[in-house]
Amino acid sequence: IEPELRWHFVNSLLESGLCTKNQLESELERDNTTAGQLAYSFGIAAFPTAEAKADAWKIILADDLPNSKKVEVIRGFHRPLQRDLIEPYVDKYFNHLIEIWDEKSFEVATQYVRGMFPIYATTQATRDTANKWLETTWNIAPAALRRLVAESIDHVARALKVQAVHEQIRFPHHSTLVRRHSPPHSLV
């Protein structure tokens, strides 16, 4: 199997909790190329534990990592199956936006804004938090930063609409079923 495909399998198993750190490190020993190191960086952040997310968060905010590795850590941090692990970082993300935009290069700041937006924490609360950030920082956040955040909010809004349609398709008569199976109020 080609290394890229093997890394894909390893990291897919890893983000589902079916691979250990030792197995990830063994894979890096087997493929200690630049591509292997990038895949390893993704894997370290993709572990489905709160500790892995906390470590990845520190790496993402640090300045001592090449951009290519930071991008992989960001990709590993946000995994669709790990929504519960990402939700604690929604407020942290917004709290760091202006600081990162002001202190980092445009490329690094853009990677953070787009890559760390909590897109997989697809809830109305995330959308509300993002909208509140836009409303309260309109006078201090640069226009380019506000535009990137607004675009991400649009992604969340579309995802919420899709979720609502999906629920209607899955449970088309849900409200009717609940009423039919609810005990009558006159029994009291």
Side-chain angles (χ1 to χ4, degrees):
I1 297 177
E2 293 181 6
E4 285 182 22
L5 185 57
R6 201 172 55 247
W7 274 111
H8 175 74
F9 290 147
V10 167
N11 281 330
S12 294
L13 291 169
L14 181 144
E15 75 178 84
S16 299
L18 301 172
C19 185
T20 66
K21 189 170 183 176
N22 287 339
Q23 290 169 316
L24 183 67
E25 289 172 358
S26 293
E27 192 59 37
L28 180 60
E29 287 176 17
R30 184 176 183 179
D31 179 24
N32 197 3
T33 62
T34 300
Q37 291 173 11
L38 292 175
Y40 177 82
S41 296
F42 173 95
I44 287 294
F47 269 104
T49 66
E51 296 79 20
K53 298 305 176 194
D55 291 344
W57 181 259
K58 290 175 191 170
I59 290 169
I60 291 162
L61 294 182
D63 288 327
D64 59 349
L65 196 66
N67 287 349
S68 57
K69 285 190 178 182
K70 192 169 285 204
V71 167
E72 291 305 310
V73 173
I74 288 171
R75 286 185 56 241
F77 183 88
H78 281 288
R79 305 311 308 153
L81 298 175
Q82 301 172 356
R83 293 175 186 208
D84 57 328
L85 296 170
I86 296 166
E87 286 177 357
Y89 292 90
V90 172
D91 289 335
K92 292 178 184 183
Y93 166 81
F94 288 104
N95 291 340
H96 284 88
L97 275 177
I98 292 176
E99 171 190 340
I100 286 176
W101 191 264
D102 288 346
E103 295 177 4
K104 309 291 184 193
S105 69
F106 179 77
E107 180 182 356
V108 171
T110 301
Q111 288 170 352
Y112 176 84
V113 173
R114 286 187 172 151
M116 290 303 292
F117 188 90
I119 193 68
Y120 293 124
T122 311
T123 64
Q124 186 61 45
T126 298
R127 184 179 180 194
D128 292 345
T129 300
N131 281 323
K132 181 179 177 187
W133 183 87
L134 278 178
E135 291 168 9
T136 58
T137 61
W138 67 270
N139 60 341
I140 56 173
L145 172 58
R146 291 192 321 269
R147 180 182 49 78
L148 291 172
V149 172
E151 289 171 359
S152 295
I153 293 170
D154 288 343
H155 293 304
V156 171
R158 282 190 296 278
L160 289 171
K161 287 179 185 177
V162 169
Q163 285 177 357
V165 169
H166 182 257
E167 286 302 310
Q168 288 175 349
I169 292 169
R170 277 183 59 202
F171 306 108
H173 305 291
H174 181 68
S175 59
T176 309
L177 290 173
V178 170
R179 275 183 290 208
R180 267 192 225 145
H181 298 293
S182 298
H185 295 292
S186 60
L187 292 177
V188 179

